[in-house]
Amino acid sequence: ENTSSIYYDASSDDNLLSSLGIAFPYPKPLSTAKYLINSVHPDPKIVLDFFAGSGTTGHAVLEINNEKNKSIQFILATNNEDNILVDTCYPRIQKVINGYKDNNNGTKQRGLGGSLVQFKTAFVGKRNILNIKDEDKVELAHNAGELLALSENTLDLINKDDWMQLYENNDRYTAIYFREEMTNFEKFKSTVKKLDKPVSIYVFSWGDNEFPDDFAEIKDAKVKTIP
């Protein structure tokens, strides 16, 4: 939709963050973030903010979900400068989701609901993609579980050991066997076959499409190689 060429709200939400018990100077107005999100897309599925700051975008999405009965997801990225993620952004979103005692007047504020997962990124392997070697691919596979779970929208970790990982959400699982050695592959297969919901199965492989027959009898199973 067309939006105004000039936006007149030049306030900051100092009072709001004070009510959350969070000290942060000149936070962006929640109303501005909601206005922009509602303006740029009629029905967004995921809102991405590359500069999370105090978490205004995530807070705005949670309020929109609550007001419009939506299930928009958000991703907030930050380099955690001056510990802004740990001290401000993450606790703010937690309180908005779970509810909190208003620091300004002592009243209990109900939570808006939702879920929150924090990921910390780092470079994996010794070489970049232009000169990657097999040892880098193996190390990447060992560390790919959380990213694969994120891509499948199964964020709850159920089990993790030195060979496999299992994640779930309300209606599906993601099962990952990330080792080149097949020593515990039969145990992994046995675990997957006992699952009671659809499952995406990732297996470390040097080739493509190597393992579908191992899980052929499982209904609603998708077998993929770790990319």
Side-chain angles (χ1 to χ4, degrees):
E1 298 178 9
N2 291 331
T3 59
S4 301
S5 298
I6 299 174
Y7 190 73
Y8 291 98
D9 187 353
S11 63
S12 65
D13 266 339
D14 303 85
N15 191 59
L16 172 61
L17 263 69
S18 174
S19 72
L20 289 160
I22 296 172
F24 186 79
Y26 313 119
K28 302 295 188 298
L30 185 62
S31 58
T32 303
K34 292 170 65 176
Y35 171 81
L36 293 172
I37 292 168
N38 286 325
S39 296
V40 298
H41 197 290
D43 188 26
K45 304 303 180 190
I46 301 176
V47 175
L48 170 63
D49 187 344
F50 285 103
F51 301 96
S54 67
T56 302
T57 298
H59 191 162
V61 170
L62 291 169
E63 287 211 350
I64 292 170
N65 283 344
N66 187 65
E67 293 167 1
K68 298 186 175 183
N69 195 28
K70 297 281 189 178
S71 55
I72 306 168
Q73 295 178 300
F74 60 85
I75 301 171
L76 309 180
T78 175
N79 64 358
N80 198 32
E81 184 177 359
D82 296 328
N83 231 29
I84 192 172
L85 171 69
V86 176
D87 294 340
T88 303
C89 182
Y90 192 84
R92 173 184 184 174
I93 301 300
Q94 274 190 315
K95 289 182 177 183
V96 172
I97 288 174
N98 298 325
Y100 60 95
K101 183 180 179 181
D102 190 325
N103 263 32
N104 293 338
N105 56 33
T107 60
K108 177 69 175 178
Q109 300 295 315
R110 71 176 183 87
L112 300 181
S115 60
L116 182 64
V117 180
Q118 176 183 325
F119 296 93
K120 183 177 180 180
T121 62
F123 189 81
V124 174
K126 298 178 181 179
R127 304 162 190 85
N128 65 31
I129 194 66
L130 298 177
N131 58 359
I132 193 170
K133 294 188 177 180
D134 287 348
E135 62 188 85
D136 299 297
K137 295 178 182 179
V138 171
E139 185 177 352
L140 180 61
H142 291 181
N143 288 276
E146 289 180 338
L147 290 176
L148 295 173
L150 184 62
S151 72
E152 295 285 347
N153 196 28
T154 50
L155 301 181
D156 296 325
L157 178 63
I158 303 302
N159 185 44
K160 180 178 181 180
D161 58 29
D162 292 335
W163 300 85
M164 63 193 79
Q165 297 175 28
L166 182 62
Y167 298 84
E168 73 167 341
N169 64 15
N170 291 332
D171 56 14
R172 66 179 298 100
Y173 292 99
T174 300
I176 304 161
Y177 188 89
F178 54 84
R179 296 293 290 265
E180 180 184 7
E181 303 88 350
M182 305 305 289
T183 310
N184 284 298
F185 188 64
E186 291 302 318
K187 179 182 177 182
F188 174 72
K189 286 169 58 177
S190 176
T191 299
V192 171
K193 289 176 181 179
K194 295 176 183 177
L195 300 177
D196 57 356
K197 293 182 287 191
V199 56
S200 294
I201 304 165
Y202 287 88
V203 183
F204 180 90
S205 172
W206 293 108
D208 294 323
N209 204 31
E210 291 189 24
F211 298 97
D213 292 343
D214 293 275
F215 304 95
E217 72 270 33
I218 303 178
K219 185 181 179 181
D220 296 324
K222 297 179 180 179
V223 184
K224 310 175 184 181
T225 55
I226 295 177

